[in-house]
Amino acid sequence: MISLVRVDNRLLHGQVLETWLPRLGVKEVVVADDEAASSGLARAAMTLCVPPELPVRIEPLRAIDFGALAASGWPVLVLVRDVAQLAEARAAGLTPAQAPRLNVGNVHFGPGRRCVTPSVFLSEDEIRTLRELTAAGFEVEARSVPTEAPAGIEEIERRYAAAR
Amino acid sequence: MSPARVPARTLARVFWRCLFLQAAWNRRGMQNLGFAYAIEPALAVLYPEPARRREALERHLQFFNCHPFMAAAIVGGAIHHEERVAAGEEPASAPIRYKATLQGPLAALGDGFFWTALRPFCGALGAAGALVIGVPAVVAAIVLYDVIHFSLRLGLFRAAYRGGDAVIPVIARLGLPLAAERLRAAGVALCGVAAAIVVLRGAGAAGAAAGIVAALAAGAGYAALARGARLLPTAYVAALAGIAAAVAGHLHWSS
């Protein structure tokens, strides 16, 4: 089963390994990222930083079989780099039944992006994508670590409107 | 013509500046200002022309965040790549890609080894030691922590400067995740020793009731650690320990 699909600009790092993995009891991590999959350095570094008993797969987004991940008997965490990749994953066949929760963990500041949580900056396009995913039946939340209060889509939109 | 290599003196200045990586931490770029400040002396050597230097400094102002100790490897490796950019052997994107690729995984390694293993272990060592030999144990624990983290920082900075991407096998050979596991186990054992000393001394000094309170405090601390994630419940543990200490003190003075 897919416990969580997480958007994180830094993909695999301390927050994921030290907080989400133990909280969700994750037994496999899938990094769905074209750039990381094509980089030997990224593959070596990511494999190095996880405990030896935890399998990590680094594959291009299009190569991921979400149905098979959802059907696996253990909790899987899927990492993507940007909000746009959530829409791509949905286009590639990801359904709310396979992965009900979409977490927006870390999106760095950039042109056109406004502050939604201390670690998440989103553009209008990205908020529209999240709204569409919510309408499609996914549960969307923004927070970096499990102990932070999650911000749902309404809260995300409210904060975006309030931010300059 | 710019020199192809950064002199050792400049590397030493960069390493010194790495120690202040988080001084200008901010939400938009996180450690970006600290990184640009650290690498600036090397860029000044590699790019004597102001326009190229500005361009180089600007690319290092992009978002950056890593574990502050492990980041030394990324600064060293970024200089490795900048030397090749200055010599026209690599595109300007090479150092940026190096930083972006390694910041997450090295942060995970650093969090796991330094924050959740070495630091608690040294803390437990200081606490247990303080019960036996007093303040010098605390000083020794801090010195131990600093010697280990500082030599790792320096070693990783040098290895990454020399080898660039080849720093990854060097880090792999350190076996940090396994070392972290052992340090955590040793730290837990030390906490058990400290708890036993406190219970025995409490019971000896103020009767069985104080011993029971100390044992309960140790049990509560263990339960909090066993239950929660590893990074955050330390605040709760500290609060519980404080309350237990107040109760124990009250029992002691009233007995």
Side-chain angles (χ1 to χ4, degrees):
Chain A
M1 68 197 221
I2 303 176
S3 300
L4 194 70
V5 178
R6 172 172 165 100
V7 177
D8 198 317
N9 284 179
R10 274 175 285 160
L11 297 173
L12 199 53
H13 60 113
Q15 287 174 1
V16 177
L17 282 175
E18 299 296 332
T19 65
W20 285 104
L21 262 50
R23 172 63 64 99
L24 299 172
V26 168
K27 293 284 177 284
E28 185 181 8
V29 174
V30 175
V31 179
D33 188 70
D34 301 1
E35 197 186 318
S38 66
S39 155
L41 185 66
R43 303 183 77 95
M46 285 181 185
T47 314
L48 174 66
C49 74
V50 298
E53 68 275 11
L54 183 77
V56 179
R57 279 163 51 192
I58 305 150
E59 288 177 16
L61 186 69
R62 287 280 165 183
I64 308 268
D65 181 350
F66 289 105
L69 289 182
S72 71
W74 52 86
V76 181
L77 179 88
V78 179
L79 288 167
V80 297
R81 197 184 289 267
D82 267 303
V83 171
Q85 267 92 64
L86 289 179
E88 242 180 85
R90 190 183 157 216
L94 183 71
T95 65
Q98 293 164 349
R101 278 172 75 199
L102 307 179
N103 165 265
V104 185
N106 284 287
V107 180
H108 306 152
F109 177 74
R113 280 183 178 152
R114 295 187 198 168
C115 182
V116 170
T117 79
S119 68
V120 175
F121 296 78
L122 295 175
S123 68
E124 217 177 324
D125 275 355
E126 287 167 329
I127 292 197
R128 196 175 309 124
T129 302
L130 294 179
R131 175 51 86 180
E132 283 163 13
L133 289 163
T134 309
F138 291 98
E139 187 190 321
V140 173
E141 57 161 45
R143 61 171 156 175
S144 58
V145 291
T147 45
E148 198 182 316
I153 186 71
E154 266 83 32
E155 181 67 14
I156 292 173
E157 286 175 339
R158 198 188 59 73
R159 290 189 197 166
Y160 179 83
R164 285 181 293 111
Chain B
M1 190 59 213
S2 59
R5 308 282 295 187
V6 176
R9 257 184 70 96
T10 310
L11 288 175
R13 274 184 75 199
V14 171
F15 181 71
W16 168 251
R17 288 186 175 200
C18 282
L19 306 181
F20 306 100
L21 187 73
Q22 311 217 79
W25 198 93
N26 63 92
R27 263 166 42 178
R28 287 192 177 182
M30 296 199 177
Q31 297 163 345
N32 67 332
L33 289 170
F35 195 101
Y37 174 74
I39 202 171
E40 188 269 332
L43 299 180
V45 171
L46 291 171
Y47 304 101
E49 323 86 271
R52 285 193 77 195
R53 189 190 304 180
R54 170 188 290 256
E55 193 187 302
L57 195 56
E58 267 175 14
R59 64 174 166 259
H60 287 289
L61 277 172
Q62 281 182 20
F63 177 96
F64 182 76
N65 203 44
C66 191
H67 187 279
F69 303 168
M70 299 302 288
I74 302 187
V75 179
I79 299 175
H80 173 96
H81 284 290
E82 283 295 349
E83 283 185 347
R84 279 141 190 86
V85 175
E89 294 164 10
E90 283 184 359
S93 58
I96 299 310
R97 181 156 298 169
Y98 182 83
K99 286 168 66 177
T101 303
L102 290 188
Q103 59 179 331
L106 293 197
L109 268 179
D111 283 355
F113 180 75
F114 293 105
W115 286 175
T116 73
L118 183 65
R119 190 181 265 190
F121 169 79
C122 291
L125 191 66
L131 288 169
V132 182
I133 62 166
V135 177
V138 179
V139 177
I142 292 171
V143 169
L144 177 71
Y145 178 72
D146 284 335
V147 166
I148 294 174
H149 92 70
F150 197 81
S151 46
L152 275 173
R153 270 170 125 160
L154 190 59
L156 288 176
F157 178 77
R158 289 173 54 171
Y161 169 68
R162 287 187 188 147
D165 297 5
V167 74
I168 291 300
V170 173
I171 296 174
R173 276 196 295 277
L174 290 173
L176 294 180
L178 183 66
E181 240 168 70
R182 290 180 180 158
L183 281 172
R184 275 183 217 120
V188 169
L190 280 171
C191 287
V193 170
I197 295 173
V198 171
V199 170
L200 286 174
R201 287 204 186 149
I212 290 166
V213 170
L216 284 176
Y222 174 77
L225 278 175
R227 250 198 93 244
R230 298 206 297 267
L231 276 181
L232 286 157
T234 39
Y236 299 120
V237 177
L240 273 173
I243 294 166
V247 173
H250 178 77
L251 282 174
H252 178 72
W253 298 122
S254 60
S255 67

